[in-house]
């Protein structure tokens, strides 16, 4: 079972990974966006980490709800509201249980991904974070390693796609040939689940 500590470790591992990969995320965003994805997410997840250190949230749902709120209030552009909605919706779906199963997390994440699709209007194949998140949620039944692999494959598979949502869509066919920064950072978020599980 996954307790609040697991979810705190998940957010801390995501913050560390975003910090390590910030330059790469910004380089990807400079190709088809406005070159701020790395610094935006770094600011957001740094705020998440310090909020979670200050306020002791004792349920998985409360940890993710607080994290989502921090992302919405500290990250500008589209990625703050999208990531914030993902974590808040997931947290809300987990309710006030002290511990949740991997199956319950998968179900809650699906609600979170649905929230992101409703907010951004993106579907799978539009070259967005959904292309990493949706396959990861499907794979979660087979464990965190499977989810990580599915998210990474999904992110890589955005390269040949033409963007149909977000800033990259303004580029039309010129968005083809570049890996989507949002799908790439989403794969980092999913990969961090495996790190959190390792303790
Ligand atoms: Mg950007």
């Amino acid at each position: 079972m996954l307790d609040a500590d697991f979810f705190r470790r998940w957010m801390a591992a995501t913050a560390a990974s975003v910090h390590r990969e910030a330059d790469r995320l910004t380089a990807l965003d400079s190709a088809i966006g406005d070159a701020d994805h790395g610094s935006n997410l770094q600011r957001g997840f740094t705020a998440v980490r310090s909020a979670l250190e200050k306020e002791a949230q004792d349920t998985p749902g409360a940890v993710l709800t607080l994290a989502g709120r921090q992302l919405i209030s500290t990250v500008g552009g589209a990625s703050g509201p999208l990531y914030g909605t993902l974590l808040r919706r997931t947290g809300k779906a987990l309710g006030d249980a002290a511990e949740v199963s991997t199956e319950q997390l998968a179900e809650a994440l699906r609600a979170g991904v649905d929230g992101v699709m409703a907010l951004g209007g993106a579907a799978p194949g539009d070259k967005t974070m959904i292309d990493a998140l949706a396959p990861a949620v499907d794979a979660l039944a087979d464990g965190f390693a499977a989810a990580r692999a599915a998210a990474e494959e999904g992110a890589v598979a955005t390269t040949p796609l033409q963007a149909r949502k977000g800033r990259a869509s303004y580029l039309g066919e010129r968005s083809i040939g570049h890996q989507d920064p949002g799908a790439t950072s989403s794969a980092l978020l999913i990969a961090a689940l495996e790190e959190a599980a390792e303790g």
Side-chain angles (χ1 to χ4, degrees):
M1 293 293 275
L2 311 170
D3 61 7
D5 272 338
F6 170 88
F7 285 84
R8 272 191 286 273
R9 289 198 302 275
W10 181 24
M11 292 297 102
T14 303
S17 167
V18 162
H19 181 73
R20 276 196 307 271
E21 300 287 330
D23 288 349
R24 179 167 164 250
L25 294 174
T26 288
L28 292 172
D29 195 32
S30 70
I32 57 171
D34 55 355
D36 62 359
H37 195 56
S39 52
N40 275 344
L41 282 192
Q42 210 174 344
R43 183 170 60 251
F45 278 98
T46 299
V48 167
R49 187 153 54 180
S50 58
L52 289 173
E53 280 164 10
K54 258 180 267 161
E55 297 180 42
Q57 305 294 326
D58 54 6
T59 65
V63 169
L64 293 188
T65 303
L66 176 62
R69 217 164 47 224
Q70 288 298 315
L71 292 174
I72 289 172
S73 63
T74 58
V75 182
S79 54
L82 291 168
Y83 269 102
T85 295
L86 174 68
L87 296 184
R88 277 175 59 173
R89 288 288 177 88
T90 302
K92 198 178 163 200
L94 291 174
D96 55 9
E99 292 186 330
V100 299
S101 64
T102 307
E103 292 74 21
Q104 286 170 311
L105 172 59
E107 208 175 299
L109 263 176
R110 198 177 294 284
V113 171
D114 286 347
V116 173
M117 289 199 282
L119 179 65
D126 284 348
K127 196 179 181 100
T128 71
M129 57 197 288
I130 297 302
D131 293 322
L133 293 173
V137 169
D138 290 339
L140 206 47
D142 298 322
F144 294 129
R148 175 192 191 132
E152 284 168 1
E153 273 171 42
V156 169
T158 62
T159 303
L161 300 176
Q162 177 172 337
R164 287 196 292 254
K165 286 289 167 192
R167 188 178 281 268
S169 66
Y170 307 157
L171 294 174
E173 289 182 358
R174 281 182 294 138
S175 65
I176 294 170
H178 302 281
Q179 186 169 318
D180 183 63
T184 307
S185 57
S186 293
L188 298 179
L189 175 76
I190 297 298
L193 281 169
E194 200 181 11
E195 281 182 64
E198 283 159 6

